[in-house]
Short mmCIF file of all heavy atoms in Angstrom, two decimals:
data_model
loop_
_atom_site.label_atom_id
_atom_site.label_comp_id
_atom_site.label_asym_id
_atom_site.label_seq_id
_atom_site.Cartn_x
_atom_site.Cartn_y
_atom_site.Cartn_z
N ARG A 1 182.38 70.13 52.70
CA ARG A 1 181.75 69.89 51.39
C ARG A 1 182.60 68.92 50.56
O ARG A 1 182.09 67.96 49.98
CB ARG A 1 181.59 71.22 50.64
CG ARG A 1 180.93 71.07 49.27
CD ARG A 1 181.09 72.34 48.46
NE ARG A 1 180.53 73.48 49.16
CZ ARG A 1 179.64 74.32 48.63
NH1 ARG A 1 179.23 74.14 47.39
NH2 ARG A 1 179.21 75.35 49.31
N GLU A 2 183.90 69.17 50.55
CA GLU A 2 184.80 68.30 49.79
C GLU A 2 184.80 66.88 50.37
O GLU A 2 184.81 65.89 49.63
CB GLU A 2 186.21 68.88 49.80
CG GLU A 2 186.40 70.11 48.93
CD GLU A 2 185.75 71.37 49.48
OE1 GLU A 2 185.38 71.39 50.68
OE2 GLU A 2 185.60 72.33 48.72
N SER A 3 184.79 66.79 51.69
CA SER A 3 184.76 65.48 52.33
C SER A 3 183.51 64.70 51.96
O SER A 3 183.57 63.50 51.64
CB SER A 3 184.84 65.66 53.85
OG SER A 3 184.75 64.42 54.51
N MET A 4 182.36 65.35 51.97
CA MET A 4 181.11 64.68 51.64
C MET A 4 181.07 64.24 50.18
O MET A 4 180.57 63.16 49.86
CB MET A 4 179.92 65.59 51.98
CG MET A 4 179.70 65.78 53.47
SD MET A 4 178.19 66.71 53.86
CE MET A 4 178.67 68.36 53.32
N VAL A 5 181.60 65.08 49.28
CA VAL A 5 181.62 64.71 47.87
C VAL A 5 182.50 63.49 47.65
O VAL A 5 182.12 62.56 46.91
CB VAL A 5 182.12 65.90 47.01
CG1 VAL A 5 182.47 65.43 45.60
CG2 VAL A 5 181.06 66.98 46.95
N LEU A 6 183.66 63.46 48.29
CA LEU A 6 184.54 62.30 48.14
C LEU A 6 183.88 61.02 48.66
O LEU A 6 184.01 59.95 48.07
CB LEU A 6 185.86 62.55 48.86
CG LEU A 6 186.76 63.62 48.22
CD1 LEU A 6 187.97 63.90 49.10
CD2 LEU A 6 187.22 63.19 46.83
N GLU A 7 183.15 61.14 49.76
CA GLU A 7 182.41 59.97 50.25
C GLU A 7 181.36 59.54 49.24
O GLU A 7 181.15 58.34 49.01
CB GLU A 7 181.75 60.31 51.59
CG GLU A 7 182.72 60.40 52.75
CD GLU A 7 181.99 60.61 54.06
OE1 GLU A 7 181.73 61.78 54.40
OE2 GLU A 7 181.67 59.60 54.72
N ASN A 8 180.68 60.50 48.62
CA ASN A 8 179.62 60.18 47.66
C ASN A 8 180.14 59.46 46.43
O ASN A 8 179.41 58.67 45.81
CB ASN A 8 178.89 61.46 47.23
CG ASN A 8 178.04 62.05 48.32
OD1 ASN A 8 177.68 61.37 49.29
ND2 ASN A 8 177.70 63.33 48.20
N VAL A 9 181.40 59.72 46.05
CA VAL A 9 181.95 59.07 44.84
C VAL A 9 182.72 57.80 45.17
O VAL A 9 183.33 57.21 44.28
CB VAL A 9 182.85 60.04 44.04
CG1 VAL A 9 182.06 61.26 43.60
CG2 VAL A 9 184.07 60.45 44.86
N GLY A 10 182.71 57.38 46.45
CA GLY A 10 183.28 56.08 46.77
C GLY A 10 184.45 56.06 47.72
O GLY A 10 184.94 54.98 48.04
N PHE A 11 184.93 57.21 48.18
CA PHE A 11 186.02 57.21 49.16
C PHE A 11 185.50 56.66 50.48
O PHE A 11 184.45 57.09 50.98
CB PHE A 11 186.58 58.62 49.35
CG PHE A 11 187.57 59.03 48.30
CD1 PHE A 11 187.17 59.26 46.99
CD2 PHE A 11 188.92 59.17 48.62
CE1 PHE A 11 188.08 59.63 46.02
CE2 PHE A 11 189.83 59.54 47.65
CZ PHE A 11 189.43 59.77 46.35
N LYS A 12 186.24 55.74 51.05
CA LYS A 12 185.79 55.06 52.27
C LYS A 12 186.46 55.58 53.53
O LYS A 12 185.95 55.42 54.62
CB LYS A 12 186.06 53.55 52.15
CG LYS A 12 185.33 52.89 50.98
CD LYS A 12 183.83 53.06 51.07
CE LYS A 12 183.12 52.35 49.94
NZ LYS A 12 181.67 52.59 49.97
N PHE A 13 187.63 56.16 53.38
CA PHE A 13 188.32 56.71 54.55
C PHE A 13 188.91 58.03 54.13
O PHE A 13 189.79 58.10 53.29
CB PHE A 13 189.42 55.76 55.02
CG PHE A 13 190.18 56.28 56.22
CD1 PHE A 13 189.73 56.03 57.51
CD2 PHE A 13 191.34 57.01 56.06
CE1 PHE A 13 190.42 56.50 58.60
CE2 PHE A 13 192.03 57.50 57.15
CZ PHE A 13 191.58 57.24 58.43
N ILE A 14 188.41 59.11 54.69
CA ILE A 14 188.87 60.44 54.31
C ILE A 14 189.63 61.04 55.47
O ILE A 14 189.10 61.18 56.57
CB ILE A 14 187.69 61.33 53.89
CG1 ILE A 14 187.02 60.74 52.65
CG2 ILE A 14 188.17 62.75 53.62
CD1 ILE A 14 185.79 61.49 52.20
N GLU A 15 190.88 61.34 55.23
CA GLU A 15 191.77 61.86 56.28
C GLU A 15 191.75 63.38 56.28
O GLU A 15 191.94 64.01 55.24
CB GLU A 15 193.19 61.36 56.05
CG GLU A 15 194.16 61.80 57.11
CD GLU A 15 195.54 61.23 56.86
OE1 GLU A 15 195.88 60.94 55.71
OE2 GLU A 15 196.28 61.09 57.84
N THR A 16 191.47 63.95 57.42
CA THR A 16 191.49 65.40 57.54
C THR A 16 192.74 65.84 58.29
O THR A 16 193.32 65.06 59.05
CB THR A 16 190.25 65.93 58.27
OG1 THR A 16 190.20 65.36 59.57
CG2 THR A 16 188.99 65.57 57.51
N ILE A 17 193.16 67.06 58.08
CA ILE A 17 194.36 67.59 58.71
C ILE A 17 193.95 68.55 59.82
O ILE A 17 193.21 69.50 59.59
CB ILE A 17 195.25 68.32 57.69
CG1 ILE A 17 195.68 67.34 56.57
CG2 ILE A 17 196.48 68.91 58.37
CD1 ILE A 17 196.45 68.02 55.46
N LEU A 18 194.44 68.29 61.02
CA LEU A 18 194.23 69.19 62.13
C LEU A 18 195.53 69.94 62.41
O LEU A 18 196.62 69.39 62.27
CB LEU A 18 193.79 68.42 63.38
CG LEU A 18 192.49 67.64 63.27
CD1 LEU A 18 192.22 66.87 64.55
CD2 LEU A 18 191.31 68.56 62.96
N HIS A 19 195.43 71.18 62.82
CA HIS A 19 196.60 71.99 63.11
C HIS A 19 196.54 72.49 64.55
O HIS A 19 196.16 73.64 64.81
CB HIS A 19 196.69 73.18 62.14
CG HIS A 19 196.95 72.79 60.72
ND1 HIS A 19 198.20 72.41 60.28
CD2 HIS A 19 196.13 72.67 59.66
CE1 HIS A 19 198.14 72.11 59.00
NE2 HIS A 19 196.90 72.26 58.59
N PRO A 20 196.89 71.62 65.50
CA PRO A 20 196.90 72.09 66.89
C PRO A 20 197.99 73.13 67.08
O PRO A 20 199.02 73.10 66.40
CB PRO A 20 197.21 70.81 67.68
CG PRO A 20 197.94 69.95 66.71
CD PRO A 20 197.34 70.24 65.37
N PHE A 21 197.77 74.05 68.01
CA PHE A 21 198.77 75.07 68.24
C PHE A 21 198.72 75.50 69.70
O PHE A 21 197.77 75.24 70.42
CB PHE A 21 198.53 76.28 67.33
CG PHE A 21 197.29 77.06 67.69
CD1 PHE A 21 197.35 78.19 68.52
CD2 PHE A 21 196.06 76.66 67.21
CE1 PHE A 21 196.20 78.89 68.85
CE2 PHE A 21 194.91 77.36 67.54
CZ PHE A 21 194.98 78.47 68.37
N THR A 22 199.77 76.12 70.10
CA THR A 22 199.81 76.70 71.43
C THR A 22 200.49 78.05 71.33
O THR A 22 201.35 78.27 70.47
CB THR A 22 200.55 75.80 72.43
OG1 THR A 22 200.48 76.38 73.74
CG2 THR A 22 202.00 75.62 72.04
N ASP A 23 200.08 78.97 72.19
CA ASP A 23 200.71 80.28 72.17
C ASP A 23 201.19 80.63 73.58
O ASP A 23 201.08 79.85 74.51
CB ASP A 23 199.72 81.35 71.65
CG ASP A 23 198.45 81.40 72.48
OD1 ASP A 23 198.35 80.66 73.47
OD2 ASP A 23 197.55 82.18 72.12
N ARG A 24 201.80 81.78 73.70
CA ARG A 24 202.30 82.27 74.99
C ARG A 24 203.21 81.22 75.65
O ARG A 24 203.12 80.95 76.86
CB ARG A 24 201.15 82.65 75.92
CG ARG A 24 200.20 83.67 75.30
CD ARG A 24 199.04 83.99 76.22
NE ARG A 24 199.47 84.79 77.35
CZ ARG A 24 199.51 86.12 77.32
NH1 ARG A 24 199.16 86.78 76.23
NH2 ARG A 24 199.91 86.80 78.39
N LEU A 25 204.08 80.65 74.84
CA LEU A 25 204.99 79.63 75.38
C LEU A 25 205.88 80.18 76.48
O LEU A 25 206.32 79.43 77.35
CB LEU A 25 205.85 79.05 74.24
CG LEU A 25 205.14 78.11 73.25
CD1 LEU A 25 206.10 77.74 72.12
CD2 LEU A 25 204.65 76.86 73.94
N TYR A 26 206.14 81.46 76.44
CA TYR A 26 207.00 82.05 77.46
C TYR A 26 206.38 81.99 78.85
O TYR A 26 207.08 82.15 79.86
CB TYR A 26 207.34 83.50 77.09
CG TYR A 26 206.15 84.41 76.96
CD1 TYR A 26 205.60 85.06 78.06
CD2 TYR A 26 205.58 84.62 75.70
CE1 TYR A 26 204.50 85.89 77.93
CE2 TYR A 26 204.48 85.46 75.57
CZ TYR A 26 203.94 86.09 76.68
OH TYR A 26 202.85 86.91 76.54
N GLU A 27 205.06 81.74 78.92
CA GLU A 27 204.40 81.65 80.22
C GLU A 27 204.38 80.21 80.75
O GLU A 27 203.97 79.98 81.89
CB GLU A 27 202.97 82.17 80.12
CG GLU A 27 202.88 83.65 79.81
CD GLU A 27 201.44 84.13 79.76
OE1 GLU A 27 200.53 83.27 79.84
OE2 GLU A 27 201.23 85.36 79.65
N LYS A 28 204.78 79.26 79.93
CA LYS A 28 204.71 77.86 80.32
C LYS A 28 206.05 77.40 80.90
O LYS A 28 207.11 77.87 80.50
CB LYS A 28 204.30 76.99 79.13
CG LYS A 28 202.99 77.43 78.50
CD LYS A 28 202.59 76.54 77.35
CE LYS A 28 201.34 77.08 76.66
NZ LYS A 28 200.19 77.11 77.57
N GLU A 29 205.96 76.46 81.79
CA GLU A 29 207.16 75.94 82.44
C GLU A 29 207.44 74.53 81.94
O GLU A 29 206.57 73.65 81.98
CB GLU A 29 206.98 75.91 83.97
CG GLU A 29 208.22 75.44 84.72
CD GLU A 29 208.04 75.48 86.22
OE1 GLU A 29 207.03 76.04 86.67
OE2 GLU A 29 208.91 74.95 86.92
#
């Protein structure tokens, strides 16, 4: 919703934040 509103008022490039994650690291080599 916030992204669409910013586009509507003139923002041309809207950067979103992604939070990649991994779990069970003890199982990985």
Side-chain angles (χ1 to χ4, degrees):
R1 180 193 302 232
E2 287 72 15
S3 177
M4 289 187 289
V5 166
L6 291 174
E7 287 185 273
N8 289 341
V9 300
F11 278 69
K12 300 301 182 184
F13 180 87
I14 297 176
E15 182 178 26
T16 59
I17 300 175
L18 299 177
H19 293 283
F21 68 95
T22 184
D23 58 2
R24 304 178 72 88
L25 287 175
Y26 60 86
E27 294 182 353
K28 304 181 186 298
E29 182 177 351

